[in-house]
């Protein structure tokens, strides 16, 4: 019989137990992220039992190999029944351990991994560790005691902050909160853990399990849960899991531990049963999937971006410069007007100081970031930049002139990027002698907040430049999505069709308020017209004017929205647009003047208004988007449905719990959508209702779109 070395190798056990002096050491070694799959759970249960039975071990130490602690569930087991021991069962065994257990956290300690650490008696974090419970992002809540133990360590209010945001905290903040007992700055997890064990032995004490601690619960203000529910009702009325999280943390305060655990499990199951979970999980993994660009060879080298440049010190240019500075990348901010440059730098400083005032930055960090942004009036100052982003007026002629100048002053190998939201990247690249180094980097406003970055690959953009741009997106905290060249790329091209329908619905008899109410009822944070006011009516107006001047056959005829722009009603920034705004307020208020303007526009066009139902508003606004998205896939502008989903999730506020535009369309029913598109083509007409061949084909075959 052949030995394992002579035949197929036997997989190494993912969990080991060994003793170091009087300390029993449990080591998890399950690369790449020590996920808590069945093998790890079984191994942990066996190692814990071995440690408890080991008469020569006075205490136990839980450490992980690799770059981090345990990063939660194994994605390969998502949606499958959990084989015993389940994570709650395993956590309960650690909680009931008759010997002190010390967990050493390094790298990422997330989700179920952190829940397991919470069941240990002592937690030590290495400098640089990140601790968090991100389950809310998947439409869930921590279901292995996290909602019951975390409040016992940090208090109910802070526990709600951490669990509802799903965002991790660093080691130092975790120590200040009481989430960990110590932070170690040197050594391996094992070395740090052995030092902690030595301290515990010297103290000659046996710490209470977290489940038995109640002092932080006693300080809870009874009004906390009323206030959080009211806040969630305003901010996240559609989502299930945040509301269940409040219920679970309240149970930690009001019920004995065992009853609180039972309540948590029931609430966790409510979340599991919600249809929102599938959408949120799709949205969660979409962000990771879009980083892998189809057709881009694995291992394509990326250029090193050590210095950046931005042309244009306006709102967008300044925001892009801040994105680089926030990532520690020195950036030259160029404008040809001293006044505009001074104004742009002042705006950046004000924004940073406002963040400091809210406790998000220190004054030292404000100074560091401002020092990374170098104002300049000459293009020659960009000579050493590795990448330059142009953010000037949305005119092809203006942008081509900028790129001709950049081509002459930038060093060979420098990447030249346009922030254009609609224009032809290939036409811009043609103004240079290096089209292989040109692409679009379409940031979304406000650039420092919006996470989407459309990475627009031109016909001659090289693989290396594309790979560099995608890597840069991750570096500056953006969700980069590779798209092709067309009018409006992916996001704005779809938005343009929704805008056409929104305007057509108002012409037919709906009000802007009704259209927006239906869209926010669907889950968008803003309706179409409120979003138009936020972006600035003048932006779209100037684009439409450019198209009309160029003789674009698809350019819309002037309408009441253009009249608003001509009257200087640009939206929030002027206090009036489609809506009016009180000074200092962003709340859109109906304006009787607008109703009269729309009525006059209908009369001029000979349109007799009719009642328009909410269902018609919903279907026309959403189905036209799906139809356009299918055309984008047909043309290869987007490679996959998930790319379109990610763009609309991160750039346009598509509700994450619906998974994304095309994920939602599958659940709505492609057959239903295709039939409606054909009906609207017959009854309404217009290029936006010309059915996508791909949509009709997939609907007829009963298969997912894009497959």
């Amino acid at each position: 019989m052949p030995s394992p070395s002579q035949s197929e190798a036997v997989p190494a056990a993912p969990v080991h137990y060994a003793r170091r002096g009087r300390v029993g050491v449990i080591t998890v070694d399950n690369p790449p992220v020590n996920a808590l799959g069945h093998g790890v759970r079984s191994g942990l249960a066996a190692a814990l039992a071995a440690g408890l039975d080991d008469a020569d071990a006075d205490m136990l130490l839980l450490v992980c190999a690799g770059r981090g602690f345990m990063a939660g569930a194994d994605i390969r087991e998502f949606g499958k029944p959990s084989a015993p021991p389940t994570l709650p069962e395993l956590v309960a065994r650690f909680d009931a351990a008759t010997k002190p257990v010390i967990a050493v956290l390094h790298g990422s300690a997330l989700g179920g991994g952190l829940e397991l650490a919470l069941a240990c008696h002592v937690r030590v974090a290495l400098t640089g560790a990140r601790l968090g419970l991100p389950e809310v992002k998947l439409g869930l809540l921590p279901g292995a005691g996290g909602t019951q133990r975390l409040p016992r360590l940090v208090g109910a209010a802070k526990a709600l902050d951490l669990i509802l945001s799903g965002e991790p905290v660093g080691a130092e903040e975790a120590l200040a909160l009481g989430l960990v007992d110590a932070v170690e700055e040197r050594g391996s997890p094992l070395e740090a853990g052995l030092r902690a064990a030595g301290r515990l032995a010297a103290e000659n004490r046996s710490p209470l399990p977290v489940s038995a601690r109640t002092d932080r619960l006693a300080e809870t203000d009874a009004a906390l849960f009323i206030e959080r529910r009211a806040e969630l009702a305003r901010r996240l009325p559609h989502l299930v899991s945040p509301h269940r999280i409040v219920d679970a943390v309240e149970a930690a305060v009001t019920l004995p531990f065992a009853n609180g655990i039972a309540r948590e499990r029931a609430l966790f199951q409510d979340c599991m049963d919600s249809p929102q979970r599938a959408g949120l999980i799709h949205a969660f993994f979409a962000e990771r999937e879009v980083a892998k660009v189809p057709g881009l060879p694995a291992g394509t080298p990326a250029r090193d971006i050590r210095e950046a440049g931005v042309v244009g010190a306006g709102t967008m240019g300044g925001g892009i410069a801040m994105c680089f500075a926030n990532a520690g990348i020195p950036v030259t901010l160029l404008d040809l007007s001293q006044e505009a440059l001074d104004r742009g730098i002042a705006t950046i400083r004000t924004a940073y100081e406002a963040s400091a005032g809210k406790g998000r930055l220190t004054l030292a960090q404000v100074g560091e970031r401002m020092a990374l942004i170098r104002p300049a009036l000459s293009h020659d100052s960009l000579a050493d930049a590795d990448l330059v982003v142009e953010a000037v007026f949305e005119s092809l002629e203006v942008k081509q002139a900028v790129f001709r100048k950049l081509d002459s002053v930038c060093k060979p190998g420098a990447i030249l990027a346009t922030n254009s939201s609609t224009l032809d990247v290939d036409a811009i690249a043609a103004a240079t002698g290096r089209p292989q180094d040109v692409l679009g980097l379409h940031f979304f406003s406000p650039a420092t907040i919006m996470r989407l970055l459309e990475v627009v690959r031109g016909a001659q953009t090289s693989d290396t430049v594309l790979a560099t741009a995608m890597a840069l997106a991750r570096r500056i905290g953006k969700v980069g999505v590779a798209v092709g060249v067309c009018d409006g790329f992916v996001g704005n091209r779809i938005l343009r069709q929704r805008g056409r329908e929104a305007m057509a619905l108002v012409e037919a008899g709906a009000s802007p308020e009704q259209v927006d109410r239906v869209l926010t009822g669907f889950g968008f944070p803003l309706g179409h017209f409120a979003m138009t006011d936020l972006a600035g009516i003048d932006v779209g107006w100037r684009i439409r004017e450019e198209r009309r001047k160029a003789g674009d056959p698809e350019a819309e005829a002037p309408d009441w929205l253009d009249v608003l722009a001509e009257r200087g009603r640009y939206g929030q920034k002027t206090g009036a647009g489609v809506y009016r705004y009180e000074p200092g307020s962003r709340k859109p208020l109906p304006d009787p003047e607008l109703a009269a303007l729309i009525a006059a526009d209908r009369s001029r066009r000979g349109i007799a208004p009719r009642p328009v139902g909410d269902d018609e508003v919903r279907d026309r606004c959403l189905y036209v988007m799906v139809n356009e998205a299918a055309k984008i896939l047909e043309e290869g502008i987007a490679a996959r449905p998930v790319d379109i989903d990610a763009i609309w999730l991160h750039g346009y506020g598509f509700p994450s719990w619906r998974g994304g535009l095309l994920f939602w369309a599958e659940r709505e029913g492609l057959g239903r959508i295709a039939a409606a598109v054909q009906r609207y083509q017959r009854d309404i007409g217009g290029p936006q209702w010309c059915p996508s061949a791909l949509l009709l084909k997939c609907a007829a075959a009963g298969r997912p779109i894009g497959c």
Side-chain angles (χ1 to χ4, degrees):
M1 184 128 180
S3 69
S5 62
Q6 294 171 315
S7 59
E8 185 178 348
V10 176
V15 184
H16 310 276
Y17 176 77
R19 193 160 28 81
R20 296 287 295 264
R22 303 292 299 181
V23 180
V25 181
I26 300 170
T27 304
V28 178
D29 187 1
N30 184 40
V33 293
N34 295 317
L36 279 159
H38 177 251
V40 172
R41 296 195 305 273
S42 298
L44 281 167
L48 176 65
L52 296 176
D53 289 342
D54 187 348
D56 293 322
D58 298 330
M59 63 186 72
L60 304 178
L61 183 61
L62 176 61
V63 297
C64 291
R67 293 176 297 175
F69 194 70
M70 286 168 261
D74 189 331
I75 61 173
R76 292 169 295 188
E77 297 182 4
F78 263 57
K80 300 176 183 177
S82 187
T86 65
L87 183 59
E89 291 168 348
L90 177 67
V91 168
R93 294 184 196 183
F94 272 78
D95 183 87
T98 53
K99 296 178 182 180
V101 184
I102 302 169
V104 183
L105 314 179
H106 75 290
S108 294
L110 304 174
L114 182 57
E115 288 188 282
L116 182 60
L118 292 173
C120 297
H121 297 79
V122 176
R123 281 152 302 286
V124 175
L126 269 62
T127 300
R130 303 285 290 169
L131 291 67
L133 295 169
E135 286 83 356
V136 68
K137 297 181 180 181
L138 300 178
L140 299 172
L141 55 79
T147 67
Q148 304 304 296
R149 291 186 178 87
L150 186 61
R152 286 170 159 79
L153 288 173
V154 306
K158 193 60 188 179
L160 282 173
D161 290 342
L162 294 174
I163 302 173
L164 286 170
S165 74
E167 296 299 324
V169 295
E172 293 295 340
E173 184 176 353
L175 178 63
L177 291 171
L179 178 51
V180 299
D181 301 284
V183 173
E184 291 278 344
E185 297 183 356
R186 60 187 175 85
S188 67
L190 176 60
E191 292 166 341
L194 291 173
R195 287 196 296 271
R199 291 193 297 269
L200 188 60
E203 293 170 3
N204 194 27
R205 66 181 180 89
S206 182
L208 281 174
V210 174
S211 60
R213 306 180 196 182
T214 59
D215 53 318
R216 295 301 302 268
L217 300 181
E219 63 192 37
T220 307
D221 186 337
L224 171 67
F225 302 105
I226 297 172
E227 293 168 357
R228 291 303 176 94
R229 288 188 177 99
E231 176 196 349
L232 290 173
R234 290 191 304 271
R235 191 166 56 86
L236 300 171
H238 303 285
L239 291 176
V240 170
S241 63
H243 299 269
R244 299 296 180 268
I245 286 167
V246 175
D247 295 342
V249 174
E250 184 178 42
V253 174
T254 59
L255 299 176
F257 182 77
N259 300 78
I261 285 288
R263 177 69 171 144
E264 179 191 81
R265 290 307 299 169
L267 292 167
F268 179 83
Q269 193 58 50
D270 282 352
C271 295
M272 287 288 288
D273 293 341
S274 168
Q276 292 186 359
R277 182 174 66 92
L280 286 163
I281 288 175
H282 176 78
F284 182 82
F285 287 110
E287 180 177 335
R288 287 144 184 80
E289 187 64 25
V290 296
K292 308 165 191 172
V293 180
L296 185 64
T300 299
R303 297 176 189 171
D304 188 15
I305 304 298
R306 296 180 301 274
E307 291 190 28
V310 176
V311 180
T315 300
M316 181 58 77
I320 295 170
M322 291 174 71
C323 290
F324 289 124
N326 293 346
I329 301 172
V331 55
T332 298
L333 180 60
L334 170 73
D335 204 291
L336 300 183
S337 160
Q338 183 70 59
E339 180 183 358
L341 189 61
D342 291 344
R343 186 168 55 248
I345 292 294
T347 299
I348 291 170
R349 182 176 292 281
T350 299
Y352 277 140
E353 290 176 347
S355 292
K358 295 173 183 175
R360 295 172 185 164
L361 293 175
T362 65
L363 289 177
Q365 288 173 321
V366 171
E368 289 167 3
R369 296 187 187 190
M370 288 301 302
L372 288 170
I373 302 174
R374 302 181 296 243
L377 291 167
S378 169
H379 286 87
D380 292 339
S381 62
L382 301 173
D384 293 327
D386 301 296
L387 174 141
V388 179
V389 181
E390 161 274 312
V392 301
F393 182 70
E394 191 75 351
S395 160
L396 181 59
E397 183 179 348
V398 171
K399 290 182 185 289
Q400 286 175 326
V402 169
F403 271 75
R404 277 191 288 270
K405 185 64 177 177
L406 292 177
D407 190 33
S408 69
V409 301
C410 291
K411 65 184 180 182
I415 296 172
L416 308 183
T418 175
N419 182 57
S420 174
S421 58
T422 59
L423 298 176
D424 187 341
V425 172
D426 291 328
I428 293 171
T432 76
R434 56 175 98 185
Q436 73 281 358
D437 290 334
V438 177
L439 81 169
L441 289 179
H442 179 207
F443 288 79
F444 285 70
S445 184
T448 53
I449 295 173
M450 299 299 289
R451 296 191 64 214
L452 176 63
L453 179 62
E454 280 186 318
V455 179
V456 189
R457 183 175 194 172
Q460 298 186 59
T461 305
S462 73
D463 284 350
T464 294
V465 168
L466 180 60
T468 303
M470 295 298 290
L472 177 68
R474 291 190 295 274
R475 185 177 171 188
I476 64 176
K478 302 299 183 186
V479 178
V481 185
V483 301
V485 175
C486 69
D487 184 9
F489 314 132
V490 172
N492 279 346
R493 176 170 159 179
I494 294 172
L495 180 65
R496 183 181 177 190
Q497 299 301 356
R498 191 184 77 176
R500 278 180 163 173
E501 280 312 293
M503 291 294 289
L505 285 160
V506 170
E507 287 177 359
S511 66
E513 296 94 329
Q514 179 190 5
V515 173
D516 281 3
R517 175 175 51 77
V518 171
L519 290 172
T520 55
F522 179 79
F524 283 98
L526 287 175
H528 183 84
F529 293 106
M531 186 181 75
T532 301
D533 273 357
L534 176 63
I537 292 175
D538 54 317
V539 176
W541 172 53
R542 291 192 173 102
I543 292 171
R544 291 190 294 275
E545 286 290 287
E546 284 286 319
R547 287 198 178 105
R548 290 168 192 142
K549 290 176 183 176
D552 184 346
E554 291 193 16
E556 299 93 337
D559 52 35
W560 57 268
L561 207 57
D562 295 310
V563 174
L564 289 178
E566 290 164 359
R567 293 181 180 180
R569 293 181 53 141
Y570 293 163
Q572 286 189 16
K573 58 189 172 186
T574 59
V578 177
Y579 299 98
R580 62 182 178 85
Y581 301 86
E582 298 292 346
S585 172
R586 293 179 177 272
K587 183 179 179 180
L589 301 171
D591 191 342
E593 182 180 332
L594 178 71
L597 184 64
I598 292 172
D601 189 62
R602 288 178 185 141
S603 177
R604 179 175 61 83
R605 296 170 184 264
I607 298 171
R610 62 174 175 83
V612 177
D614 287 355
D615 287 345
E616 181 182 352
V617 172
R618 171 194 179 274
D619 291 356
R620 285 176 61 177
C621 284
L622 291 168
Y623 291 179
V624 77
M625 293 168 63
V626 174
N627 191 49
E628 194 67 22
K631 293 177 183 178
I632 286 170
L633 287 173
E634 285 175 38
E635 298 167 18
I637 301 300
R640 303 159 294 185
V642 71
D643 295 323
I644 296 175
D645 285 345
I647 286 169
W648 269 81
L649 286 164
H650 294 288
Y652 298 86
F654 196 91
S656 58
W657 52 277
R658 294 191 185 274
L661 176 61
L662 292 177
F663 184 88
W664 167 80
E666 299 286 351
R667 279 136 192 82
E668 177 79 356
L670 294 183
R672 174 179 177 176
I673 294 173
V677 168
Q678 290 173 304
R679 184 174 69 254
Y680 290 135
Q681 180 193 31
R682 182 181 65 247
D683 296 344
I684 299 172
Q688 71 272 30
W689 290 119
C690 179
S692 156
L694 178 62
L695 174 62
L696 297 182
K697 181 179 178 181
C698 292
R703 61 179 176 82
I705 200 164
C707 294

